[in-house]
Amino acid sequence: CLFLLFFEISGVDEHYTPIRTFQVCNVMEYSQNNWLRTNWIPRQSAQKIYVELKFTLRDCNSIPLVLGTCKETFNLLYLETDDDQGSHFREHQFSKIDTIAADESFTQMDLGDRILKLNTEVREVGPMTKKGFYLAFQDVGACVALVSVRVYFKKCPYTVRNLASFPDTVPIDSQSLVEVKGSCVNHSKEEEPPRMYCSTEGEWLVPIGKCLCNPGYEERSNTCQMCRAGFYKSTLGNTECSKCPPHSFSHHEGSLHCGCEKNYFRAEGDPASMACTHPPSAPRNVISSINETSVILDWSWPEDTGGRRDITFTVVCKRCRVVAANGSNGGTQRCEPCRSSVRFLPRATGLQNTTVTVGDLLAHTNYTFEIEAQNGVSSLAPKMRQYAAVTITTNQAAPSPVTVIRKEKTSRNSVSLSWVEPERPNGIILDYEIKYYEKQETSYTILRARGCNVTLNGLKPNTAYLLQIRARTAAGYGASSPSFQFETSPDSAFSISSESSQVVLIAISSAVAIILLTVLLYVLIGRSVHHSLDSVLFLSVIFTSHTNPFLPFFIFCRSCKWSIHALRLPGVRTYVDPHTYEDPSQAVHEFAKELEASCIAIDKVVGAGEFGEVCSGRLKLPSKKEICVAIKTLKGGYTDKQRRDFLAEASIMGQFDHPNIIRLEGVVTRSKPVMIVTEYMENGSLDSFLRKHDAQFTGIQLVGMLRGIASGMKYLSDMGYVHRDLAARNILVNSNLVCKVSDFGLSRVLEDDPEAAYTTRGGKIPIRWTAPEAIAYRKFTSASDAWSYGIVLWEVMSYGERPYWEMSNQDVIKAVDEGYRLPPPMDCPATLYQLMLDCWQKERNNRPKFEQIVSILDKLIRNPGSLKITANTTPRPTNLLLDRSSSEAPSVGTMGDWMDGMRTLPCKEAFSGVSYSSCDTLAKTSTEDLKKVGVTIVGPQKKIVSSLKALDSHTKNGPVPV
Ligand code: ACK
């Protein structure tokens, strides 16, 4: 400071803090002009300067004798300069800022106490333009002490708002706000330009706009800081960094994304916040249900969806064959994509539901379907993709309808037609059925043709006919073609009679056929003349009526090398021997449905078969009702052959569809245990069932059961299947007493049957049930099955008696060979016994066909009265068995004869030494009595007891007939 008559004095302020002051107090003298000037103060960025003064001022009234000279104000002045002028001082250069008066003044007493009363005054100066300035204080006669002078200016200080930094800002004038643009802090970006206003008071006002932290950075204390390891931030914004989602990591700071762990992936479009995922596991529980040439595939969702919800399914169809490897037994599977004509419903890829129907497959063909569950990352991990495969074999399917029929030639009485083979024959077309009728009539004619043309003869002239054609394959008939209409030509006087032309035609064709066959006969006889008598050629030409000019013929040559062809009844399917298949497992899949083990619930064991246990259980197929089933299992440790033999039964059974043949539900071959699942027959096998219910059924009930068995056997023989082991133990009975033929197989059946015994020619045969020619030279035919049926008939009528009781197999063979036959069971209707005897005809061609047996039994059922006439139960005198050669109807002899006969029974002289006093005593004889005398075999026991009763009634009711 520049002191110009101001004095620096020490004192204390009101708080007794020592202070130094500049004082002047020349109040007694006139014309005072005392100055105090500051040093040069640089202006810096200040526009406007504030000066705060703290001072004390003495009250003039408190000073005596100063009136007129004492003042109570002083002046504040300033001078702007660009440089420090040192001690150079010019009074007139200063400009007055204000006259400062005191708000408070102090008295003498105050002074005596040395307490200063401070006044504070603030004045503003500016705007300033020069680099610096001086302040000056002018005293004109006051008693004033300047305690402090504070010089300052106002500014808005540096600040960071909304991630934008705003510099120190000095307001320009007192009127307006200063708009200041902010700059984004490091690692941030402007979202909207940041701005703020700096007020004249040095306050920041109205922040506008903001900055956002870059990806990988988050806002921390007004700065953008890198995300820590294990965290990420993928977007611009002032959110915090997020923790890495499951199965991902970030090892470095400032991560925008987290990387996926091994075997985890992120699909394009997956947000960074989503966990890393992997392809799903394979679909589960694939079930196929085959319907001819289409298959419905059903499956369950994969166990592991890979952590995603965008699961879809894709089904790939392949045709696979096992190709034999050169020189080795095994083979390799070769697959090729299915034809493009295979249809998928709704589609093959992108399936949202867990089912698809595949249609238009080829019949009898192996297909493999690979079902894959896919999700958004499947394409990123081809090696991790899994699928479930199911192999199916399509069934036989009936051919599609004939659609194109052409009329080739028309005359008065005939028309020639041709047609085009069905688009999908689904097998070899065996023949066509042509059904036609007059348009106005309802009765129709049916013809069959092997080729794709036919001539219909014997038609009425000038008549409209309608015709339909359907093709037949081993799978049966296909649907009929749409009706095709044609008209014959009008009558004409000059036309040759069609009847006579037919005759001529037939005559000519017959002649040609006979010539051809004669030549053939000649050649064949010539070739096989050295063969045995067996090699006789049977030739049968059957001419049908001229309206049906097809000539079915049968040629048999027993010992010729060429095969035997027989035209079976049209419309009936033919049994296919599964052993003719190179790969027997193909046969089983051709004829048996593969079941998922998960659809089967086993309840309990009901018996034991040769290959394993027989159980009862339940089968629940998708969208089908649960049914009771029998389950035959193949026990572990089986050989390949055992497996083949076990499944052969299913391959055979699967070809049958008849109410009296046990129905195959399917097989389980793809998991263990291997199973054959059939319908459940509540009453088990017929022999034990009958034994359990001895004498409890009416004749009609028994005949009903027998009729069922015969009907099943008719079906089998029509199919060309020979059972070879027809016996009551192989018939099953359900809760409605319906009998069904079971136990199918070839050699296996006999190997399996405990009744089967080895013959001298080798091979096992159930002697008691088998026809003599089958025992002698293994001639098994439907006629030998008819013999067995006779034995079953006997078993049924005797409620499960063992045929030939305890006789040895050798004795049975001998007795039967000598013409002896089983006697009628007790109370057996005569007609049924006659039927048995017919079945046991030595000459097999004389035995009734199953069709005839069915019709005989049907007649009996319609006329139950006929069952009342029972066959005579008295055994023949010479043997337990009846001698068929001596008489047809057995009769009761005299008491003496009868006793003689009894003594020759194979009961070791049972009656020798036994005396009977009367017929009464005889009639009361019980089986217990017989046991006592050594008749231990149940059959003869019953027979003897019933005979005694019959004899008793004869003697009581009249003379014993001779
Ligand atoms: O007489 P069962 O009770 O009837 O004892 C045998 C046993 O299994 C061994 O073959 C019984 N069995 C076989 N197949 C069936 C079936 N489909 N339903 C009921 N029981 C059956 C048979």
Side-chain angles (χ1 to χ4, degrees), residues 606-609 614 630 632 662 678-685 688 732:
V606 294
V614 182
K632 280 192 181 181
I662 195 83
T678 63
E679 65 181 305
Y680 185 64
M681 301 294 282
E682 294 81 352
N683 282 316
S685 40
S688 51
L732 290 164

Side-chain angles (χ1 to χ4, degrees), residues 711-776:
S711 169
M713 288 307 296
K714 173 187 175 308
Y715 175 82
L716 292 183
S717 68
D718 286 350
M719 287 275 286
Y721 178 77
V722 179
H723 192 290
R724 296 176 179 221
D725 197 10
L726 177 59
R729 66 183 166 278
N730 291 331
I731 303 293
L732 290 164
V733 189
N734 73 9
S735 54
N736 297 324
L737 293 195
V738 176
C739 288
K740 306 201 182 193
V741 181
S742 82
D743 244 83
F744 299 96
L746 294 164
S747 56
R748 185 197 72 70
V749 175
L750 303 175
E751 296 291 328
D752 193 8
D753 187 345
E755 283 294 351
Y758 287 99
T759 61
T760 45
R761 289 174 60 116
K764 267 176 138 187
I765 286 178
I767 301 291
R768 285 153 214 271
W769 281 265
T770 307
E773 74 277 5
I775 297 174

Side-chain angles (χ1 to χ4, degrees), residues 816-869:
V816 169
D817 215 33
E818 285 171 4
Y820 292 100
R821 298 291 182 264
L822 280 165
M826 204 177 11
D827 299 331
C828 179
T831 34
L832 290 181
Y833 186 58
Q834 187 56 54
L835 182 56
M836 288 177 213
L837 295 175
D838 289 343
C839 291
W840 300 331
Q841 290 276 352
K842 189 172 179 65
E843 170 50 52
R844 67 174 187 275
N845 293 323
N846 291 342
R847 293 172 204 155
K849 306 279 172 290
F850 282 109
E851 188 173 9
Q852 291 166 307
I853 298 176
V854 172
S855 114
I856 289 167
L857 297 175
D858 279 344
K859 273 189 205 134
L860 283 181
I861 292 168
R862 282 198 296 272
N863 182 15
S866 56
L867 294 174
K868 294 214 173 89
I869 307 157

Side-chain angles (χ1 to χ4, degrees), residues 669-732:
T669 63
R670 301 212 172 97
S671 61
K672 283 185 183 162
V674 176
M675 300 186 235
I676 296 177
V677 181
T678 63
E679 65 181 305
Y680 185 64
M681 301 294 282
E682 294 81 352
N683 282 316
S685 40
L686 178 61
D687 61 336
S688 51
F689 174 68
L690 289 170
R691 282 196 280 269
K692 224 184 289 168
H693 299 278
D694 193 5
Q696 289 177 10
F697 298 118
T698 62
I700 283 291
Q701 278 176 313
L702 294 176
V703 176
M705 292 189 220
L706 288 163
R707 198 260 176 213
I709 303 167
S711 169
M713 288 307 296
K714 173 187 175 308
Y715 175 82
L716 292 183
S717 68
D718 286 350
M719 287 275 286
Y721 178 77
V722 179
H723 192 290
R724 296 176 179 221
D725 197 10
L726 177 59
R729 66 183 166 278
N730 291 331
I731 303 293
L732 290 164

Side-chain angles (χ1 to χ4, degrees), residues 504-522:
V504 171
L505 202 76
I506 290 171
I508 293 168
S509 50
S510 305
V512 171
I514 288 166
I515 291 165
L516 282 174
L517 289 171
T518 311
V519 171
L520 188 63
L521 192 67
Y522 175 78

